[in-house]
Amino acid sequence: MSTGAVPGIRISVVVPCFNEGEVIGAFHTALTAALEKTGEHFEVCYVDDGSTDDTLENLRALAASSPQVRYTSFSRNFGKEAAMLAGLRMSQGAAVALMDADLQHPPELLHRMLELHRHGYDQVVAQRDRAGEGILRTAVSRVYYRAVRHFMDVGLVDGAGDFRLLSRRAVDSLLLLPESNRFSKGLFCWIGFDTVHFTYQNVQRAAGRSKWGGRRLLEYGIDGLLAFNTRPLRLAIHAGLWLFLSALAYALWIAGAAVLNGVDTPGYATLIVAVVALSGIQLVTVGVIGEYVGRIYHESKRRPHYVVRETERMAAAGSIARFPAPTTRTARS
Ligand code: UDP
Ligand code: MG
């Protein structure tokens, strides 16, 4: 639940981490250096998204050595969206920055973001250019954003990701949105408020591997298209209507030709084409409807977004049982 701002803390930095053991130390050093330069009172909220490497051990050590570090660790991998939500819920600052742990979001930019925030902007978005990215990925992203802008009710900006600074009221508005299927890029647009973008040069990740393969990106893309509106359903209605009208015109034409030229027996090619085209459209439509029904089913279960294994408070209170390294067991019930 929303904790609201705690007086004194000016800025909270929320960092979702999944298997970032290799880079988290370097990231933390760079981040604290940048934050100390701003001269503001700060806290860092790490969220360990069920990492299987030594990320959690690193976070424990960081939290033990600095009171400004807090962390939440999930019982398994729940995805970046859930991790960001947990981080936003933890945050207590008057402004909250969201950052990746792989140093792709340069901490030095925080200074500029705070500056813009002081000018009254509720959302300050650092928008990366696509330098150093594959031609194919850039091209696919361009087409995707164009399609999304065309189909969706909220406008997404290419390169504007999760690296942003939010005011407390923007964070509180985000936390009021209860959906399980979270598509943050859309949610950020949906809440509105005064937003400013500035561009920075894309940086490659410092170490470790990206968790976004082609397939995961595709799924994310479909989520984005479907999560925000019911336009695909409207599209199905339009397609059906146009097909019906063209079928009607074609039927009239056949009837007319039969009257004028006598009954002819045209090949079955037209029939096959019509049947195949129609079944294709029907299948797509059923798929689209099914996707929405699936989402309703998912939302109606009202499950929590994540399960917490441990937090820095539990660690400090010594209430964490020291089991051997976690293993996955398959239980049959
Ligand atoms: N991340 C996460 N859970 C996941 C996948 C990623 O918390 O299931 C975190 C990851 O640790 C990183 C950020 O989200 O801090 C961005 O991930 P990544 O660098 O893999 O994505 P990319 O930069 O390639 O888009
Ligand atoms: Mg990255």
Side-chain angles (χ1 to χ4, degrees):
M1 289 303 103
S2 162
T3 46
V6 165
I9 300 179
R10 270 294 297 160
I11 173 164
S12 305
V13 181
V14 166
V15 191
C17 317
F18 177 51
N19 290 347
E20 303 286 9
E22 273 178 62
V23 68
I24 197 96
F27 170 79
H28 189 73
T29 312
L31 179 67
T32 35
L35 284 170
E36 269 157 16
K37 247 188 234 161
T38 64
E40 301 283 6
H41 198 44
F42 68 87
E43 64 169 4
V44 190
C45 306
Y46 286 105
V47 182
D48 162 42
D49 187 10
S51 300
T52 47
D53 66 354
D54 60 349
T55 303
L56 180 56
E57 283 77 33
N58 278 301
L59 294 184
R60 280 188 193 132
L62 288 175
S65 66
S66 160
Q68 285 145 325
V69 177
R70 300 169 56 214
Y71 72 87
T72 293
S73 175
F74 289 173
S75 59
R76 65 167 171 86
N77 181 242
F78 282 90
K80 189 183 174 188
E81 294 288 343
M84 287 198 296
L85 177 66
L88 290 178
R89 284 179 177 167
M90 273 166 88
S91 70
Q92 300 170 310
V96 180
L98 284 163
M99 292 181 79
D100 286 0
D102 55 7
L103 285 168
Q104 277 189 298
H105 296 165
E108 311 82 71
L109 294 182
L110 284 173
H111 194 74
R112 185 153 171 216
M113 292 166 102
L114 271 172
E115 198 84 321
L116 285 163
H117 174 61
R118 276 191 211 106
H119 280 89
Y121 289 105
D122 284 278
Q123 296 201 50
V124 182
V125 186
Q127 184 181 346
R128 72 189 166 92
D129 59 17
R130 293 199 171 264
E133 220 178 63
I135 299 172
L136 187 70
R137 191 162 164 175
T138 312
V140 171
S141 311
R142 288 245 162 86
V143 173
Y144 174 71
Y145 279 99
R146 200 162 288 175
V148 162
R149 268 199 291 276
H150 189 71
F151 283 118
M152 271 171 59
D153 301 328
V154 287
L156 298 190
V157 183
D158 188 7
D162 304 321
F163 186 19
R164 59 183 71 212
L165 189 100
L166 303 166
S167 65
R168 174 48 50 187
R169 61 180 181 182
V171 171
D172 287 345
S173 324
L174 277 176
L175 293 179
L176 286 178
L177 306 178
E179 58 236 70
S180 325
N181 261 307
R182 294 184 83 80
F183 183 69
S184 281
K185 280 188 187 195
L187 298 181
F188 291 138
C189 296
W190 189 90
I191 57 166
F193 289 123
D194 292 344
T195 306
V196 61
H197 292 78
F198 71 90
T199 320
Y200 71 97
Q201 203 186 352
N202 193 17
V203 193
Q204 296 306 314
R205 85 178 358 261
R209 276 192 313 127
S210 170
K211 284 97 207 167
W212 296 87
R215 202 193 156 106
R216 204 159 168 180
L217 273 177
L218 180 72
E219 298 294 328
Y220 187 70
I222 294 177
D223 265 356
L225 276 175
L226 296 181
F228 262 84
N229 55 62
T230 44
R231 284 209 195 162
L233 287 172
R234 181 64 58 86
L235 206 68
I237 296 175
H238 282 274
L241 203 68
W242 282 111
L243 271 168
F244 173 71
L245 287 178
S246 22
L248 197 70
Y250 190 49
L252 285 176
W253 184 69
I254 291 178
V259 170
L260 293 178
N261 310 327
V263 177
D264 188 16
T265 49
Y268 55 86
T270 337
L271 208 62
I272 295 278
V273 170
V275 168
V276 170
L278 276 176
S279 349
I281 287 170
Q282 277 176 349
L283 275 180
V284 171
T285 313
V286 169
V288 169
I289 297 172
E291 194 53 51
Y292 284 104
V293 174
R295 271 152 209 273
I296 297 169
Y297 171 63
H298 198 69
E299 297 286 342
S300 69
K301 286 193 277 192
R302 305 188 126 261
R303 289 195 180 156
H305 297 84
Y306 49 82
V307 177
V308 173
R309 176 202 298 275
E310 159 182 346
T311 64
E312 85 288 345
R313 285 195 190 140
M314 290 157 73
S319 59
I320 296 161
R322 296 284 168 181
F323 291 118
T327 47
T328 313
R329 266 171 290 164
T330 36
R332 272 171 212 214
S333 53

